[in-house]
Amino acid sequence: MAVNICGTGSFIPSHVMDNNGIAELVDTNDEWIRERTGIVRRHIVDGETTVSMACEAGERALSMAGISAEEIDLIVVSTISSNVVLPCAACEVQKELGAVNATCFDLSAACTGFVLAYNTAAAYLSGGIYKTALIIGSESLSNLTNWRDRGTCILFGDGAGAAVLRADSRRMYVPVTHSDGGKGSALSLKSRHDRNVLTAGEYSGENHDYGTDEYFMKMDGKAVFQFAVKKVPQAVREVLEKNQVRQDEIDWFLLHQANKRIVESVAKRLGEPMEKFPMNIQEYGNTSSASIPILLDEMNRKGMLKPGQKIVMAGFGAGLTWGASIVEWM
Ligand code: UT7
C-alpha cells in the first residue's frame, strides 16, 4: 500500500508478574510455561487503562514522527479490552491528544487487529481520503483473564503500541486477510469488565467472587495453535505471491506474539532462519493486538529497521481471523 510508517511508540505497564507469580495462583510452574510458550514474565495494568496506555503509545509515536496532534486525520484503535464501551477508545484518545481534526473509531479483531488497523488506515490513505493516520493496538487482557484457568492465565499480558502512517507515492502492497467465523468458539468471551482483580487486591484464590465466567476468555489452546501454524505460513506465501515479492526479499517477519513455538513452527514451515523472526514474548506474554506494534517500536528504537527493508506483519487469533501485510520501511 502507498503508505509510510513515520513514527512508532509503545507503552508497557511497570507492574510485572513472572511465572512464579502465576504458579502461586494455579497448578503450573516456571519451567512448563517457558518451555511450552517462551514466556518468562508479563506486565499487568495497575492503575493504567486501555485508553491511557493507547494515549501514551500514541503520543510517543507522534513525537517520533514530528507530527502535531492537529495533523492527524484518522485514529483507529484496535482493542478487545477497552475500559470504555461508549465513547469508543479512539475518541477518548482523540480527546486526550487534542487531535481535533481526526475521524476516530475502534476495531475489534483480537490478535489480527493491528494488521487490520494498518490495512484500514492504508486503504484510506492510498485512496486519497486522508493524509495522516494514527493506529494503535492497546489491551488490558489481564482484566479478561480467568486467573483460575491455567490453560489461559499463563499466556496473556497488557500493553500498547502505535504507529503514525502518512500517504506516500511509492509502491502499493495489497494485503491478505481471512476470517472463519465457523470456528469462533476456539477463543471466545461473552462480556467484559474493566476491573483487575489481581492488582486491585481482590483475588482470593478458589473462593473469590469477582464475576461469573462470562467475563473471562475461554480458549481451546490446541485448536488455536494448530490453526495458527497452518494458516500463517499460507497467508505469508499468499501475500508474497499477490504482490510478486520473493520470500528472500523479506528482511523481517513480525508475527503476533502468541507462543514461541508458533513462531518457530512458522519459521520452519517457511524455511526461514529464526533471526528473521524477532520476538519479545518472553517479556510481555501475548498482548493481542498490541504485540506487533510493541515489537515494531522496539525494533525501530533499537535501529534494527533500515530504509528499503521489507517487513511482513502477520496476525492471527479469535474470530477466527488472520492476515499478512507487507510494509516497506523508509
Ligand atoms: O493470540 C492467539 C490466541 N492464543 C494462542 O495462540 C494460544 C495457542 N495455544 C497455545 O499456546 C498452547 O496450546 C498452550 C500454551 C495454551 C497450551 O500448550 P499445549 O502444549 O497445547 O498444552 P496442552 O493443553 O496440550 O497440555 C499438555 C499437558 C497436559 O497434561 P497431560 O494431559 O499431558 O498430562 C496439560 O494438563 O500440560 C498440562 N498443562 C499444564 N501443565 C502445567 C496444561 N497447561 C498447563 C500449565 N502448567 N499451565
Side-chain angles (χ1 to χ4, degrees):
M1 290 189 180
V3 295
N4 161 27
I5 296 182
C6 55
T8 58
S10 57
F11 177 85
I12 308 294
S14 57
H15 183 85
V16 172
M17 189 175 203
D18 66 13
N19 292 341
N20 293 323
I22 302 270
E24 287 174 18
L25 307 176
V26 290
D27 181 15
T28 190
N29 57 73
D30 178 50
E31 193 189 352
W32 193 95
I33 301 173
R34 280 180 197 240
E35 270 178 18
R36 308 301 286 180
T37 70
I39 299 167
V40 177
R41 61 184 73 82
R42 69 284 295 141
H43 294 241
I44 289 183
V45 287
D46 186 5
E48 299 91 349
T49 66
T50 296
V51 167
S52 73
M53 294 191 295
C55 290
E56 288 284 350
E59 260 173 15
R60 291 171 191 184
L62 284 177
S63 159
M64 181 190 280
I67 283 175
S68 72
E70 291 86 359
E71 286 177 80
I72 308 170
D73 303 310
L74 173 70
I75 299 177
V76 182
V77 175
S78 168
T79 185
I80 55 159
S81 52
S82 181
N83 51 301
V84 290
V85 177
L86 293 174
C88 65
C91 280
E92 292 289 281
V93 170
Q94 174 193 33
K95 183 176 67 183
E96 288 303 315
L97 299 187
V100 289
N101 297 310
T103 295
C104 308
F105 58 88
D106 291 358
L107 190 153
S108 171
C111 309
T112 316
F114 187 78
V115 173
L116 287 171
Y118 175 81
N119 296 345
T120 303
Y124 274 113
L125 264 49
S126 51
I129 298 165
Y130 302 125
K131 283 196 172 69
T132 307
L134 173 64
I135 57 170
I136 304 173
S138 185
E139 304 286 5
S140 311
L141 297 179
S142 61
N143 292 346
L144 315 178
T145 296
N146 184 348
W147 296 102
R148 290 169 294 185
D149 174 18
R150 70 177 184 173
T152 52
C153 75
I154 55 163
L155 281 178
F156 298 107
D158 304 334
V164 179
L165 271 52
R166 285 214 117 160
D168 187 78
S169 56
R170 291 169 315 159
R171 164 166 190 196
M172 179 171 158
Y173 293 97
V174 182
V176 159
T177 51
H178 296 286
S179 304
D180 183 359
K183 298 204 174 69
S185 60
L187 181 44
S188 63
L189 170 65
K190 210 168 171 198
S191 191
R192 72 177 180 215
H193 60 172
D194 73 338
R195 280 165 56 230
N196 194 294
V197 293
L198 284 182
T199 47
E202 292 173 31
Y203 189 86
S204 56
E206 290 299 314
N207 301 318
H208 63 79
D209 175 23
Y210 59 89
T212 59
D213 280 356
E214 73 184 43
Y215 291 116
F216 306 125
M217 290 180 278
K218 288 192 185 70
M219 183 175 73
D220 179 345
K222 265 196 192 324
V224 178
F225 192 101
Q226 282 160 10
F227 142 75
V229 298
K230 186 172 166 208
K231 295 296 187 184
V232 174
Q234 283 177 6
V236 171
R237 289 200 182 97
E238 197 183 338
V239 80
L240 294 174
E241 200 180 314
K242 221 171 179 174
N243 291 284
Q244 299 199 323
V245 171
R246 293 188 322 273
Q247 196 173 302
D248 64 12
E249 291 179 60
I250 302 299
D251 297 283
W252 303 105
F253 296 89
L254 262 66
L255 267 52
H256 163 51
Q257 304 286 290
N259 186 319
K260 183 180 174 220
R261 289 187 295 131
I262 292 178
V263 179
E264 287 169 348
S265 171
V266 171
K268 197 170 167 197
R269 284 173 193 231
L270 289 171
E272 291 285 352
M274 278 307 293
E275 293 73 54
K276 284 186 168 186
F277 289 74
M279 272 194 271
N280 60 11
I281 191 167
Q282 62 281 2
E283 182 63 33
Y284 308 124
N286 176 345
T287 57
S288 191
S289 67
S291 83
I292 291 175
I294 292 172
L295 187 57
L296 189 70
D297 182 47
E298 288 187 341
M299 294 175 71
N300 193 14
R301 284 172 196 270
K302 283 181 193 158
M304 293 166 72
L305 304 172
K306 311 283 183 218
Q309 285 191 335
K310 291 191 184 71
I311 301 164
V312 168
M313 299 192 300
F316 53 91
L320 298 172
T321 56
W322 66 104
S325 300
I326 299 173
V327 175
E328 197 170 323
W329 202 253
M330 270 202 78

